[in-house]
Each structure stands twice: as structure tokens, then as C-alpha cells.
């Protein structure tokens, strides 16, 4: 098995952790591409810049009614961070949960994660496409901009 095979395998796209291959081709630890990590990191950095309080995290495990899911980037208020900082997976979702779409993510899967994160306590759910375009959602549905972080751009530069 090679890395492209892993990235295309829909059975591996919703695991609650990132995986890698060892030199024998064995799965050691959700498949992504480098641009996926780039956008997750950029989102976390911009959230830290625009949100003067609270904390940002990447690869944040969150308990949902459908087991543990892992958001690519999150922002938690200082108060919420005090609750979750020592937990193995968040008992309450950070206020902003972001998914960077992977090639294997279906629209249904993203919509399901949106419902799960919002039900687990998130205030907003953002989706970043492979082109850096962001979509913002709250409990009412799609919104034009983030209400929690209104300065956040709707599109990220690819570099």
C-alpha cells in the first residue's frame, strides 16, 4: 500500500487520528495531503492572531454522540479551554471547529460532522476547501462570515 492508496480509501477517512505508513507499508497511525496540514496550520495561526483571548489547537479530538471525531483546527475561549485542556478528548466542543476537506470527504460526511460538532457545543463550524475557500455555519445554517471572528478571511492564500 502506498500513500495515495491510503488517501483514496474511504474506509480510512474518518478515523479519530491521523495515520502514517512505515517502511513496510503498514498503517501505523486520517489520511491527508500536505496542503491539508498547511490550511489547518494557517487557520490556527490566523485564529490566534484575530482572537486575542482563548486558545487554538490543531487535530483536536472531540466527543460527539457518534464517538470521537477530530477537528483539524479549533478555537476555544479561555473559559472553555480550562474545561478541556487536560482531557484526552473534549467533553464539550470548542466554540469554533474547522474541517479542512480531504479528497475523500463527501458532502454528507461534512454535513454530519457539522451537526455533531454543533450538538457537542460548538458555536460555529467552518469548512475549508482544497482551494482555501471557507464556508461558515452556525446553528441556523450557512452564514456569510464568522460571527465569532468577523475579521477571518473567506479565502486563504495558497502560499
Amino acid at each position: 500500500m502506498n500513500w495515495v492508496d491510503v488517501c483514496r480509501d474511504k474506509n480510512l477517512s474518518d478515523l479519530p487520528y491521523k495515520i502514517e505508513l512505515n517502511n513496510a507499508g503498514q498503517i501505523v497511525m486520517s489520511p491527508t495531503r500536505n496542503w491539508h496540514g498547511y490550511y489547518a496550520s494557517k487557520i490556527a495561526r490566523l485564529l490566534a492572531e484575530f482572537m486575542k483571548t482563548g486558545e487554538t489547537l490543531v487535530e483536536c479530538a472531540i466527543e460527539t454522540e457518534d464517538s470521537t471525531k477530530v477537528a483539524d483546527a479549533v478555537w476555544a475561549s479561555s473559559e472553555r479551554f480550562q474545561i478541556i485542556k487536560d482531557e484526552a478528548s473534549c467533553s464539550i466542543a470548542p466554540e469554533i471547529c474547522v474541517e479542512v476537506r480531504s479528497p475523500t470527504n463527501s458532502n454528507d460526511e461534512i454535513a454530519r460532522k457539522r451537526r455533531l460538532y454543533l450538538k457537542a457545543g460548538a458555536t460555529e463550524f467552518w469548512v475549508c476547501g482544497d482551494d482555501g475557500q471557507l464556508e461558515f455555519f452556525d446553528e441556523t445554517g450557512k452564514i456569510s462570515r464568522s460571527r465569532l471572528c468577523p475579521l477571518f478571511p473567506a479565502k486563504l492564500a495558497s502560499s
Side-chain angles (χ1 to χ4, degrees):
M1 176 173 276
N2 64 40
W3 190 246
V4 172
D5 294 331
V6 171
C7 291
R8 289 183 180 150
D9 188 338
K10 291 181 187 272
N11 294 314
L12 301 174
S13 66
D14 202 28
L15 296 174
Y17 47 82
K18 300 298 176 199
I19 60 175
E20 296 176 345
L21 295 176
N22 67 15
N23 60 2
Q26 299 167 318
I27 297 173
V28 176
M29 283 275 333
S30 173
T32 63
R33 307 256 171 109
N34 287 335
W35 57 260
H36 184 279
Y38 167 80
Y39 285 132
S41 174
K42 188 165 190 84
I43 290 165
R45 289 191 317 269
L46 287 172
L47 278 168
E49 178 182 331
F50 294 133
M51 304 294 278
K52 300 303 181 193
T53 62
E55 299 293 336
T56 60
L57 296 87
V58 294
E59 301 303 324
C60 181
I62 301 166
E63 287 304 312
T64 74
E65 67 181 19
D66 186 26
S67 74
T68 305
K69 304 297 177 205
V70 179
D72 295 311
V74 303
W75 174 83
S77 65
S78 298
E79 298 78 20
R80 191 156 302 182
F81 185 70
Q82 289 306 309
I83 297 168
I84 65 174
K85 71 177 182 175
D86 295 322
E87 296 177 336
S89 60
C90 299
S91 59
I92 183 170
E95 286 91 339
I96 297 174
C97 294
V98 185
E99 283 292 321
V100 178
R101 286 190 79 114
S102 295
T104 58
N105 291 135
S106 69
N107 290 335
D108 288 342
E109 179 184 0
I110 295 296
R112 182 172 51 85
K113 285 186 175 184
R114 179 178 72 236
R115 289 189 300 273
L116 290 170
Y117 290 145
L118 291 171
K119 190 166 186 178
T123 305
E124 293 184 1
F125 176 82
W126 302 358
V127 180
C128 179
D130 62 1
D131 60 354
Q133 186 70 44
L134 280 108
E135 295 180 290
F136 306 94
F137 299 86
D138 66 10
E139 73 284 346
T140 67
K142 191 172 182 176
I143 54 179
S144 61
R145 299 197 74 68
S146 170
R147 293 187 177 114
L148 293 176
C149 187
L151 295 177
F152 206 93
K155 180 156 174 95
L156 301 174
S158 61
S159 71

